Amino acid sequence: MAKIKLIIGDKVQVYRKVTKKKGWNNVWVDTMNNMIGMVGTVTDLTDNGVEITASYYSYPYTSLKHV
């Protein structure tokens, strides 16, 4: 799957769990499942993933889609 292009301020939905992703310097923890289906705004783009509003965690690009 190709990496989606995001900028700060984009609206995204967490649409699936990703347990391992090459290039994602983080891990998926069980409490991240609570965000599946939720929409947030991109607040930061880091090596650890995409940070979105309403969540403490950083998500891999492959778990997100534009809305």
Side-chain angles (χ1 to χ4, degrees), residues 1-5 61-62:
M1 175 179 278
K3 183 175 172 179
I4 62 174
K5 295 180 182 178
Y61 286 88
T62 55

Side-chain angles (χ1 to χ4, degrees), residues 1 10 16-17 28 33 39 44-45 48 50 52-53 56-57 59 61-62 64:
M1 175 179 278
D10 281 352
R16 70 184 185 121
K17 178 179 179 176
W28 191 280
N33 294 334
V39 174
D44 201 4
L45 305 167
N48 291 327
V50 179
I52 60 174
T53 56
Y56 171 78
Y57 301 104
Y59 294 85
Y61 286 88
T62 55
L64 305 171

Side-chain angles (χ1 to χ4, degrees), residues 6-10 12 14 24 26 35 40-61 64:
L6 296 174
I7 59 171
I8 293 173
D10 281 352
V12 293
V14 180
W24 180 45
N26 220 331
M35 284 296 292
T41 302
V42 175
T43 59
D44 201 4
L45 305 167
T46 71
D47 288 340
N48 291 327
V50 179
E51 295 179 9
I52 60 174
T53 56
S55 180
Y56 171 78
Y57 301 104
S58 297
Y59 294 85
Y61 286 88
L64 305 171

Side-chain angles (χ1 to χ4, degrees), residues 29-41:
V29 295
D30 288 340
T31 53
M32 293 170 78
N33 294 334
N34 297 335
M35 284 296 292
I36 294 174
M38 303 296 263
V39 174
T41 302

